[in-house]
Amino acid sequence: MKNLAVQILDLMAKALAVDTMEIRELFGDGVQSMRINYYPPCPQPDLVMGINAHSDGSGLTILLQANEVEGLQIKKDELWIPVKPLPNAFIVNVGDMLEVIIIILVLLRLTINQLILL
């Protein structure tokens, strides 16, 4: 999993025109954790919630949905959208830590042109 995470970070750095070594140095050896969740079928899914809405505080979350049951949702434009599982595919979520690092490394500046009236 660590090799996959490093490859994803490298690809993201290249896409953002950031030095890959700069991202790698920020994460160092990194901390990895693994969690396995199992959610059995629920007879009344409209009455319960699996996990409350949250953002991931990590750098990356790499998720494998082992079955084809929809459960994960993302919020976009104030709507909750289900993430359809794809066979043999990972879902990669950018966590809060990586989002802040990207903002710092890819800082943009916009200037406004002054209109001069004669």
Side-chain angles (χ1 to χ4, degrees):
M1 251 334 159
K2 181 178 180 180
N3 290 339
L4 176 61
V6 170
Q7 287 178 343
I8 292 168
L9 287 172
D10 285 352
L11 290 170
M12 290 177 69
K14 287 177 186 174
L16 295 168
V18 173
D19 182 15
T20 56
M21 291 311 295
E22 196 169 358
I23 294 265
R24 285 187 185 197
E25 287 172 9
L26 289 170
F27 281 97
D29 283 335
V31 174
Q32 296 181 57
S33 65
M34 178 184 258
R35 183 169 77 187
I36 299 173
N37 295 330
Y38 172 69
Y39 301 103
C42 179
Q44 296 178 308
D46 295 340
L47 300 179
V48 296
M49 180 180 296
I51 297 177
N52 289 332
H54 66 281
S55 63
D56 292 340
S58 63
L60 286 177
T61 298
I62 302 172
L63 174 67
L64 174 64
Q65 290 181 281
N67 55 29
E68 296 186 20
V69 175
E70 289 184 17
L72 178 65
Q73 297 180 336
I74 59 168
K75 192 171 188 179
K76 183 176 187 298
D77 300 327
E78 299 302 315
L79 298 173
W80 286 102
I81 302 167
V83 177
K84 294 182 185 261
L86 297 173
N88 303 313
F90 290 105
I91 296 169
V92 178
N93 182 47
V94 173
D96 298 339
M97 184 188 310
L98 184 56
E99 186 175 352
V100 169
I101 290 170
I102 289 170
I103 289 170
I104 291 168
L105 293 177
V106 186
L107 188 60
L108 301 175
R109 181 176 174 185
L110 176 66
T111 61
I112 305 300
N113 291 326
Q114 184 177 13
L115 178 62
I116 301 173
L117 299 175
L118 299 178

